[in-house]
Amino acid sequence: MDRAEALVREMEEAGIDASIDIYHTMMDGYTMNGDEDKCLVVFDRLKECGFTPSVISYGCLINLYTKIGKVSKALEVSRKMESVGIKHNMKTYSMLINGFLKLKDWANAFAVFEDVVKDGLKPDVILYNNIIRAFCGMGNMDRAIRTVKEMQKAWHRPTTRTFMPIIHAFARSGDMDKALEIFDMMRMSGCIPTVHTFNALILGLVEKCQMEKAVEILDEMALAGINPNEHTYTTIMNGYAALGDTGKAFGYFTKLRNEGFELDVFIYEALLKACCKAGRMQSALAVTKEMSNQKIPRNTFVYNILIDGWARRGDVWEAADLMQQMTQEGVRPDIHTYTSFISACCKAGDMLRATKTIEEMQAFGVKPNIKTYTTLIHGWARASLPEKALKCFDEMKQAGLQPDRAVYHCLMTSLLSRAAVAESYIYSGILSICREMIESGLTVDMGTAVHWSKCLRKIERGGGELTEVLQKTFPPDWNLAHGLDVTSDIDSENENENDNDEDEDDNVIYPAVNTDGNGENDDDNIEMNHRLWF
């Protein structure tokens, strides 16, 4: 743009009048740079030179504001344009719709589309593609597919961009049959799949842990003469990382390197996930050394993966060392970092350090979330301190957090496994939690119900208020399969043995608490949203 400005000055000094197209070109250039101030200067200069702004002039401003996310400003320009008698064309309408799509404001995107129809304009391919994106964003996939057919009836040939959001939406929702069906529909329409199309399919299959099919897509790419890119391989690596298959993850890493792709932090993250999932922490350390050799700094996400890896092994010293390294390197811990470290403390039985970590994170302005509290409750349960678990549960609710199924499961299992008749506060705590679960409409699975029932018989052998309330959280078919009259005598001989079993906690089924550092509910899920794939 500096050189462009210099050329305009040369024209002025040479007495050459710039045409309105020159001004539009300059405005478009500043739009690409997101330079609002200079774009407005050129617009004012255009008027000073005696030109009347046209639909193109206003369109440049609308394009600027939608690109920088100021859609309200774009609407102001739109109203100003209409007030001086200039009507919208397909391009300006498409710009407005695209602006609303970026904000995921589907309602206003459709409102603009209705204006297009009212003005008697015939939608073009770009507008159809944007409307299809809106339908996919809303989750209205049937309407998106119908729009493709309407497009074809209007003699508009769909492009790869037409089908991409539909394929991607089906893939993300896990409906791979539909995604592949639309993929075939795209090819039958004469559209040549791109690497991005194949990447959408691979991503969907990886998220469903269908790695064999994901690798088959790679073979289809080769047959279609399309070379995988780094995103393709990284997605496959992430899939194998979730399974803890370090061999295959490293195999695709080798392919990436051999094919000359630039190795970035996201590729190394996939390798680290594979190593930590498989418990190969020495291999993970080797990967971090390789990152250092490649001058790739470790970010928060990388540290989260490593801390979680040590947390799985209950190695609080290695996890603490990584926390210290983060501070030294100026990398700020987030909620996932702290939750993973608290998990390491709990597994090591160091509840004092776990409690101090909660205080430390709050001092740094990081608030504990549901997973943090669940991890801590689980820790107190393992330490055979149900009163501490109850206190932690109350603190969680006081913090304004709504308990989820995992929290209730963990806390109830702890209380029932450790409860004694004389401990009235535990008895009342169990009653209170049961009632909360009933109010929330939560029920447990049959396996949990059986375990809780066995624990319950040690507290109320002949039944009672606790038995009556707790059984309301059991599956609907519990009374048919395990009626109280039937179960009260089951395993009566074994109960005396188990009463003195010091290792009873080993049989307690606690819910899986994810401390991957990725914020998901399942350890096997992959956080891929931290990067744009297409």
Side-chain angles (χ1 to χ4, degrees), residues 377 380-381 385-394 411 414-415:
I377 289 170
W380 289 122
L385 292 169
E387 67 279 7
K388 294 283 190 180
L390 270 174
K391 184 181 177 184
C392 186
F393 180 72
D394 290 337
L411 185 57
S414 168
L415 295 177

Side-chain angles (χ1 to χ4, degrees), residues 141-142 145 149 163 166-171 173-186 201:
M141 303 310 297
D142 290 337
I145 294 169
K149 293 174 181 175
F163 293 99
I166 306 176
I167 292 171
H168 193 236
F170 277 129
S173 67
D175 193 344
M176 290 309 302
D177 290 337
K178 276 287 187 183
L180 291 167
E181 183 183 315
I182 300 300
F183 182 70
D184 291 336
M185 179 181 172
M186 181 186 76
L201 288 174

Side-chain angles (χ1 to χ4, degrees), residues 230-231 234 264-267 528-534:
E230 64 271 26
H231 307 312
T234 307
D264 59 18
V265 67
F266 305 105
I267 294 167
M528 294 189 193
N529 293 330
H530 64 286
R531 114 178 259 171
L532 294 176
W533 294 92
F534 311 113

Side-chain angles (χ1 to χ4, degrees), residues 89-363:
N89 60 19
M90 285 306 305
K91 284 189 176 180
T92 53
Y93 275 132
S94 290
M95 290 169 189
L96 286 173
I97 290 174
N98 196 46
F100 285 121
L101 290 181
K102 286 181 179 178
L103 298 177
K104 296 186 179 180
D105 187 344
W106 319 121
N108 274 314
F110 283 116
V112 177
F113 181 68
E114 287 171 4
D115 290 339
V116 173
V117 176
K118 285 178 187 176
D119 286 354
L121 296 172
K122 290 185 178 180
D124 58 10
V125 173
I126 295 172
L127 194 66
Y128 273 120
N129 287 352
N130 281 336
I131 291 302
I132 288 167
R133 278 178 59 201
F135 280 127
C136 290
M138 294 174 66
N140 193 341
M141 303 310 297
D142 290 337
R143 193 72 179 88
I145 294 169
R146 284 209 306 274
T147 303
V148 175
K149 293 174 181 175
E150 289 172 17
M151 187 177 176
Q152 291 171 320
K153 284 181 184 176
W155 298 100
H156 289 298
R157 183 178 177 181
T159 65
T160 304
R161 288 180 178 271
T162 308
F163 293 99
M164 264 299 298
I166 306 176
I167 292 171
H168 193 236
F170 277 129
R172 294 288 293 188
S173 67
D175 193 344
M176 290 309 302
D177 290 337
K178 276 287 187 183
L180 291 167
E181 183 183 315
I182 300 300
F183 182 70
D184 291 336
M185 179 181 172
M186 181 186 76
R187 291 201 282 199
M188 288 172 65
S189 299
C191 296
I192 299 172
T194 65
V195 66
H196 307 301
T197 318
F198 283 108
N199 282 352
L201 288 174
I202 290 171
L203 180 59
L205 289 166
V206 164
E207 289 183 341
K208 297 295 286 184
C209 294
Q210 298 180 24
M211 294 309 299
E212 288 185 12
K213 288 186 179 179
V215 173
E216 285 175 11
I217 298 295
L218 280 178
D219 297 333
E220 282 196 42
M221 290 178 72
L223 290 172
I226 296 172
N227 294 321
N229 60 17
E230 64 271 26
H231 307 312
T232 317
Y233 287 128
T234 307
T235 305
I236 296 285
M237 285 172 64
N238 271 306
Y240 284 121
L243 300 176
D245 192 332
T246 53
K248 288 181 179 175
F250 272 94
Y252 282 97
F253 175 77
T254 303
K255 281 190 177 184
L256 271 164
R257 188 155 50 186
N258 291 345
E259 292 182 22
F261 289 111
E262 182 180 352
L263 303 178
D264 59 18
V265 67
F266 305 105
I267 294 167
Y268 284 105
E269 282 172 6
L271 275 185
L272 288 171
K273 265 190 168 288
C275 295
C276 295
K277 181 75 175 179
R280 296 178 59 178
M281 297 310 297
Q282 295 307 315
S283 296
L285 291 176
V287 172
T288 58
K289 286 181 182 178
E290 172 70 13
M291 288 178 68
S292 298
N293 294 336
Q294 297 293 328
K295 308 297 183 188
I296 297 174
R298 287 181 283 186
N299 57 22
T300 303
F301 198 81
V302 169
Y303 273 110
N304 288 351
I305 295 169
L306 291 169
I307 291 171
D308 183 68
W310 290 114
R312 288 171 187 269
R313 297 173 63 163
D315 194 329
V316 70
W317 298 109
E318 289 287 355
D321 186 52
L322 284 167
M323 292 286 286
Q324 189 175 2
Q325 286 179 38
M326 287 185 80
T327 305
Q328 290 171 351
E329 293 178 17
V331 180
R332 188 178 179 83
D334 61 13
I335 181 62
H336 309 305
T337 319
Y338 284 115
T339 302
S340 290
F341 184 64
I342 290 167
S343 176
C345 296
C346 291
K347 285 186 179 178
D350 192 346
M351 296 309 297
L352 179 61
R353 182 176 283 194
T355 305
K356 285 184 176 178
T357 303
I358 290 282
E359 295 170 358
E360 180 187 324
M361 65 187 285
Q362 289 175 326

Side-chain angles (χ1 to χ4, degrees), residues 1 47 84 142 204 244 340 358 395 415 429 475 492 495 508 513 516:
M1 291 307 300
K47 291 186 289 185
V84 295
D142 290 337
S340 290
I358 290 282
E395 288 173 357
L415 295 177
S492 59
E495 283 185 6
V508 177
V513 180
D516 277 7

